[in-house]
Amino acid sequence: MKALILVGGYGTRLRPLTLSTPKPLVEFANKPMLLHQLEALAEAGVKHIILAVSYRAEQMEQELKHVEEQLNVKITLSMEPEALGTAGPLAFARDLLSQDSDPFFVLNSDVICEFPFKDMIQFHKHHGKEGTIMVTKVEEPSKYGVVVYNAENGQINQFVEKPQEYVSNKINAGLYIFNISILNRIELKPTSIEKEVFPHMAKSAELFAMELKGFWMDVGQPKDFLTGMCLYLTSLKYKDPSKLYDGPGIVGNVLIDPSAKIGNNCRIGPNVTIGPGVIIEDGVCIKRCTLLRDAHIKSHSWLESCIIGWKCTVGNWVRMENVSVLGEDVIVKDELYINGGRILPHKSISDSVPNPQIIM
């Protein structure tokens, strides 16, 4: 089987992290975002994965060479000459996708969940039609495009964009499986699969919905990245608790790379991910944060709801909160307060940031 992952463009929503690293390679729970999807696809028997990219392909190609060997899959980069939306990339990769008659997966690269690909294959073969969309339940359907379908067999009737009156609480989860006949519906031009392809498939009774069990999050922006991390760590607690860290000062679900060093009298957690080579000095308090490779947090600092980029240094007695994000190699001097600051790479901050803002 094959899969196409819509990797897309500049990752602007996740800046300043994506100014240094292509979004699919930013580590989520100590693993490049994309690797979560690649591992799950390989486990489901997918042998050829196509990445639809339009930006910084060289860096991704290098990083993914060893992943091919590790997972025993073929990874091909499909480099779009222009941004082709969510359907155009399928037309652009037509030759690769139609090398045989097997159905293929399509994924949005920002999605984190438990990836039930084997169940999707079974469900898709069972109904025998052209496409299957994974849907997930949300609390506030009025913020999304919702999917209205027959609860008994999954056949999709219609899509309603941001409904003001309740019609359904299921939304498109960004995971699909299609027969190759879908390629006849898509022209090689910028096209939205959600708005220009799916409604026609639903009209001809060729599109079915399968409900996702467990958590789901689009982690393409910092606030959701942190929420997704909390959901992922909770899932890990039930599925593979041995991966979580347990030790003095640890509260709740915490993931720590074995090479990280943690000082005395710290309080770490709940919901913290600490990457390789990170140094945390004495008396530090961290909750609901991701610390990326080689970050250094000095003594008695207090961090909540932050993403600390690669090789950053946070000084003594610093307080950071409210979805503050440090790009790569940022230095925050001692005794500062950062409230919702987004700080671009390679900067040194010597004044507090009392109100949410971007520091160029």
Side-chain angles (χ1 to χ4, degrees):
M1 279 191 79
K2 293 175 294 298
L4 179 130
I5 303 180
L6 299 165
V7 173
Y10 300 108
T12 48
R13 295 184 305 154
L14 201 53
R15 284 179 180 166
L17 299 172
T18 47
L19 294 170
S20 308
T21 299
K23 182 177 58 180
L25 300 181
V26 172
E27 295 91 342
F28 175 90
N30 285 351
K31 197 188 286 183
M33 247 186 239
L34 186 63
L35 192 54
H36 291 270
Q37 297 187 336
L38 297 178
E39 286 177 349
L41 287 167
E43 197 188 324
V46 172
K47 290 294 174 200
H48 186 187
I49 300 168
I50 299 144
L51 304 182
V53 292
S54 56
Y55 174 63
R56 288 170 80 166
E58 308 76 24
Q59 197 174 343
M60 288 185 53
E61 209 162 15
Q62 287 168 351
E63 293 281 340
L64 293 169
K65 276 200 168 63
H66 73 279
V67 175
E68 281 188 307
E69 292 164 23
Q70 184 190 325
L71 300 179
N72 191 25
V73 295
K74 181 182 177 189
I75 299 175
T76 305
L77 266 66
S78 175
M79 187 69 188
E80 300 163 20
E82 59 171 333
L84 290 170
T86 48
L90 278 71
F92 190 69
R94 184 188 305 271
D95 293 347
L96 294 169
L97 292 169
S98 55
Q99 282 171 355
D100 55 46
S101 58
D102 288 340
F104 59 89
F105 287 105
V106 174
L107 282 66
N108 289 344
S109 68
D110 294 348
V111 169
I112 288 287
C113 63
E114 285 166 7
F115 300 120
F117 293 132
K118 287 178 181 167
D119 296 344
M120 274 183 92
I121 295 167
Q122 278 187 318
F123 178 81
H124 183 74
K125 286 184 173 164
H126 177 72
H127 68 66
K129 298 293 186 178
E130 196 168 66
T132 299
I133 295 181
M134 189 62 85
V135 296
T136 185
K137 195 166 20 180
V138 290
E139 295 295 321
E140 286 185 62
S142 62
K143 288 174 19 185
Y144 302 93
V146 301
V147 184
V148 182
Y149 62 95
N150 179 327
E152 283 174 24
N153 66 4
Q155 185 180 322
I156 294 176
N157 303 319
Q158 62 169 332
F159 298 87
V160 183
E161 193 58 39
K162 296 184 178 169
Q164 292 315 298
E165 289 180 15
Y166 181 89
V167 287
S168 163
N169 62 355
K170 309 293 193 311
I171 66 162
N172 174 353
L175 310 174
Y176 319 122
I177 184 168
F178 301 126
N179 296 344
I180 58 170
S181 55
I182 193 179
L183 298 172
N184 301 328
R185 297 178 182 270
I186 304 168
E187 291 179 48
L188 182 50
K189 61 177 189 182
T191 313
S192 161
I193 201 165
E194 299 86 354
K195 292 179 181 153
E196 297 173 70
V197 180
F198 288 167
H200 295 293
M201 290 173 74
K203 215 173 198 174
S204 51
E206 289 288 342
L207 196 57
F208 280 66
M210 176 181 171
E211 191 178 340
L212 179 67
K213 302 286 182 274
F215 80 98
W216 175 90
M217 186 51 71
D218 173 333
V219 295
Q221 54 188 341
K223 175 172 68 74
D224 297 336
F225 184 100
L226 289 170
T227 302
M229 176 196 67
C230 299
L231 294 169
Y232 177 87
L233 293 178
T234 301
S235 162
L236 210 54
K237 179 185 172 181
Y238 294 107
K239 295 242 162 160
D240 198 354
S242 62
K243 287 189 175 167
L244 294 172
Y245 189 85
D246 194 16
I250 300 297
V251 181
N253 302 328
V254 175
L255 191 63
I256 300 182
D257 186 273
S259 63
K261 293 183 171 59
I262 296 172
N264 300 318
N265 302 319
C266 291
R267 184 188 187 276
I268 312 287
N271 299 313
V272 171
T273 300
I274 294 173
V278 169
I279 296 170
I280 294 171
E281 294 185 7
D282 297 349
V284 167
C285 177
I286 303 176
K287 40 190 166 178
R288 204 172 179 272
C289 291
T290 286
L291 279 62
L292 298 175
R293 180 188 297 273
D294 297 330
H296 184 167
I297 313 298
K298 295 193 174 176
S299 58
H300 303 292
S301 282
W302 188 98
L303 279 63
E304 181 171 7
S305 294
C306 300
I307 305 174
I308 307 298
W310 311 270
K311 302 181 191 144
C312 287
T313 302
V314 174
N316 301 297
W317 296 99
V318 167
R319 183 182 176 108
M320 289 179 61
E321 61 187 346
N322 191 19
V323 196
S324 290
V325 185
L326 304 184
E328 183 179 11
D329 179 37
V330 167
I331 296 169
V332 178
K333 297 285 179 68
D334 295 349
E335 299 178 23
L336 297 183
Y337 172 54
I338 311 287
N339 172 26
R342 306 281 165 94
I343 299 168
L344 271 62
H346 314 298
K347 293 207 69 66
S348 180
I349 300 296
S350 46
D351 294 310
S352 288
V353 181
N355 299 307
Q357 59 179 290
I358 296 167
I359 308 291
M360 307 286 282

